Amino acid sequence: MNTPVTIIGAGLGGLTLARVLHVHGIPSAVYEAEPSPMARMQGGMLDIHDYNGLLAVEAAGLTEAFQDLVLEGRQAMRILDHQGTLLFEKVDDGTGGRPEVQRGELRRLLLDGLPDGTVRWGHKVSATRVRAEGDYEVTFADGSTVVTNLLVGADGTWSRVRSLVTGAVPEYDGTAFIETYLYNADTRHPATAKAVGGGSMASNGPTPDRAISAHRESGDTLHAYVALTESLDWFEALDFADPAAVTARIAREFDGWAPELTALITDADTAPVFRPHYALPIGHRWDRLPGVTLVGDAAHVTAPNGEGANLAMLDGAELGQALAAHPGDVEAALAVYEEAMFTRTATPLDDAALMESLFDGELPESLREMFSGDQQKS
């Protein structure tokens, strides 16, 4: 196959696709809105799963280099109640199937595995259209265009490519994170560092609409996700230009929680960042359109469940493998890829199933009830 693949978006899904194509000798061009690889922070820790993300790493021929990125001990997990009582602890004994890496370092690994010039930075897409000739034109914010016979949207939740294949638009799912960081936690916030432990920590409140989770990143940085179930209007009433006011308002929602947990809000070294959650309909799919498809959040965005980055990478890997396996027959390759992708994203994990997978089926009954919401019914 000699037709270059045009990929919109240099996130994990798009870069995995480009890397797998490169492994098979297939050229691609990746267009990314960000002006450079380090234009912004690339998010926090990712646990890469042996049943999807690690398969993509293997397909990309990067397994050995990936191992150098793994942070030891980060598969440990602690579950606390809202008063800081330890309910369950899982140590990292080195046998788990979810190695933890920094998202930015994983992205850099994929970038370094591509030929120079594969990624064209500073290309923000403003429109896509089908041309009369049957191919596709992508228009960028600076007015430049590119025409392609094979277009892949790896451009996330608000994909510009998605409109070519479906009219579906992600909708707010009623939940959001307030994201914070604590630096030098072991010395400056020792009680909170102890509560989080060496890997990750999760704490559900006495009601299901409030929760706090955190990960220990490289060094002794704690990255927290404060989860609230509220309307967009509720959040829009907060003035994020006034971080102190927002911090105080969010902290009030956690009155009665242990101080070592609320410190993840009140003692943060960064301004609170609002991360609303959007999702496409479960089981969403589209009719095959020649020469165009989607990967990752562009195809199946959902509220965070620990699978998003892994699924995006697997999408990219499987699409690349399908194109390599069907030289000269792009449509057969896209049909094979889409059918597998639609099947695996039709029934995403709910909270209880997610916790079962995290604990390898050893989740205690009390925690199963907590994460399924059964305790709220009694």
Side-chain angles (χ1 to χ4, degrees), residues 57 62 65-66 69 104-114:
V57 171
L62 295 171
F66 173 85
L69 304 182
E105 293 185 1
L106 179 56
R107 189 194 197 204
R108 171 52 64 187
L109 176 65
L110 292 166
L111 285 169
D112 289 347
L114 297 175

Side-chain angles (χ1 to χ4, degrees), residues 48-175:
I48 306 302
H49 308 160
D50 53 10
Y51 52 86
N52 44 31
L54 287 179
L55 298 179
V57 171
E58 181 179 6
L62 295 171
T63 299
E64 184 175 351
F66 173 85
Q67 292 301 321
D68 293 336
L69 304 182
V70 174
L71 294 176
E72 295 183 4
R74 298 310 196 276
Q75 292 187 71
M77 176 176 286
R78 291 166 60 83
I79 305 295
L80 311 179
D81 69 14
H82 74 289
Q83 294 179 331
T85 302
L86 180 64
L87 302 177
F88 190 86
E89 184 166 23
K90 181 180 180 182
V91 301
D92 183 358
D93 61 5
T95 63
R98 296 169 174 264
E100 297 267 356
V101 298
Q102 298 275 159
R103 180 188 288 266
E105 293 185 1
L106 179 56
R107 189 194 197 204
R108 171 52 64 187
L109 176 65
L110 292 166
L111 285 169
D112 289 347
L114 297 175
D116 290 344
T118 299
V119 180
R120 291 67 184 295
W121 302 97
H123 283 74
K124 180 178 177 60
V125 175
S126 58
T128 57
R129 71 179 183 94
V130 184
R131 300 202 315 161
E133 295 85 346
D135 51 15
Y136 301 95
E137 181 181 78
V138 180
T139 301
F140 301 102
D142 63 3
S144 63
T145 62
V146 64
V147 174
T148 181
N149 291 305
L150 179 48
L151 178 62
V152 180
D155 46 344
T157 302
W158 305 113
S159 170
R160 292 284 190 173
V161 180
R162 186 193 296 122
S163 62
L164 293 172
V165 296
T166 176
V169 177
E171 295 185 357
Y172 177 61
D173 85 335
T175 66

Side-chain angles (χ1 to χ4, degrees), residues 330-347:
V330 168
E331 284 311 295
L334 298 187
V336 167
Y337 158 70
E338 287 185 352
E339 188 55 40
M341 182 268 293
F342 290 145
T343 298
R344 70 169 162 264
T345 59
T347 53

Side-chain angles (χ1 to χ4, degrees), residues 193-240:
K194 181 179 178 181
V196 173
S200 62
M201 179 278 298
S203 178
N204 276 25
T207 59
D209 56 353
R210 301 289 185 267
I212 299 175
S213 62
H215 295 87
R216 181 179 290 268
E217 298 192 351
S218 58
D220 59 354
T221 293
L222 302 182
H223 186 181
Y225 303 88
V226 181
L228 301 101
T229 302
E230 295 289 352
S231 68
L232 281 176
D233 288 342
W234 191 92
F235 289 106
E236 288 170 359
L238 303 178
D239 181 8
F240 282 88

Side-chain angles (χ1 to χ4, degrees), residues 355-375:
M355 295 309 296
E356 289 283 357
S357 72
L358 287 173
F359 286 94
D360 301 322
E362 299 177 1
L363 186 64
E365 184 62 32
S366 60
L367 295 185
R368 184 178 295 107
E369 292 176 359
M370 172 188 292
F371 287 100
S372 68
D374 290 346
Q375 64 177 2

